[in-house]
């Protein structure tokens, strides 16, 4: 579920940092820094979703039926 949000944040951050050539400061906010923060948050969200997905799949099943 978080992998989609992570990819979106990563793409938005990459576009802001590498493709946007306009004014890099809007209302005192540095867009370059915002882009790098979005990239880092995107990577963290992707890694977190992969780790949590792996934890969910490790299920131990015990068969205690006696015949």
């Amino acid at each position: 579920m978080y992998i989609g949000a992570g990819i979106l944040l990563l793409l938005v951050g990459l576009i802001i940092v590498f493709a946007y050539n306009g004014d890099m400061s809007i209302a005192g906010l540095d867009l370059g820094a915002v882009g790098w923060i979005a990239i880092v948050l995107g990577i963290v969200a992707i890694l977190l979703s992969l780790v949590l997905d792996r934890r969910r799949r490790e299920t131990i099943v015990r068969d205690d039926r006696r015949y």
Side-chain angles (χ1 to χ4, degrees), residues 9-47:
L9 278 171
L10 184 64
L11 289 176
V12 168
L14 288 171
I15 289 170
I16 290 173
V17 170
F18 295 113
Y20 182 68
N21 292 327
D23 187 21
M24 290 301 285
S25 179
I26 296 177
L29 198 64
D30 184 21
L31 288 182
V34 171
W36 283 110
I37 291 170
I39 291 171
V40 170
L41 289 176
I43 291 171
V44 168
I46 291 170
L47 292 176

